[in-house]
Amino acid sequence: MSEALNRLLGRSSRPDPARADQAAEIADLVRVTLDLAPQAAVTVQQLACAEPGCPPIETKIAVLGDGSGRRWTIHAPMSEVDEQAVREILTTQPEGENSPR
């Protein structure tokens, strides 16, 4: 994939150890906050957002394998996501943003 396309999609062709560490910290916080079973998978990704009115970079959190499959979006780059933001979104929407309202 070309470097220009990678930048547009918010990707890098080079590994970013700091982002990987941040993703692991967020995943650990999700596990503790939601009291997840050991078999539940938690993914944390930083993605580009092309939707109108959306910040250019957002952080997506997903929990799979806990019987439900839930996801959340924090409209900020992973480097700006702190413990308070994660706890707030998980406690105000424990069922995730993809649940029926």
Side-chain angles (χ1 to χ4, degrees):
M1 201 174 287
S2 76
E3 188 62 33
L5 183 55
N6 281 335
R7 280 195 308 273
L8 177 66
L9 296 174
R11 298 178 184 160
S12 172
S13 58
R14 294 179 300 268
D16 183 348
R19 189 184 312 167
D21 290 345
Q22 179 75 16
E25 290 176 17
I26 293 170
D28 290 343
L29 181 57
V30 170
R31 288 183 178 288
V32 170
T33 303
L34 296 177
D35 193 27
L36 295 176
Q39 70 272 18
V42 178
T43 64
V44 181
Q45 296 179 312
Q46 179 174 286
L47 302 170
C49 181
E51 296 177 23
C54 180
I57 303 289
E58 60 189 13
T59 301
K60 295 278 192 178
I61 301 169
V63 174
L64 307 167
D66 69 339
S68 63
R70 299 175 276 173
R71 64 178 166 76
W72 299 264
T73 303
I74 298 175
H75 296 285
M78 198 179 303
S79 62
E80 296 177 12
V81 174
D82 60 11
E83 183 176 335
Q84 179 182 350
V86 174
R87 288 189 188 277
E88 183 176 321
I89 199 165
L90 296 177
T91 56
T92 58
Q93 292 183 305
E95 69 285 350
E97 59 191 31
N98 57 324
S99 68
R101 302 241 183 244

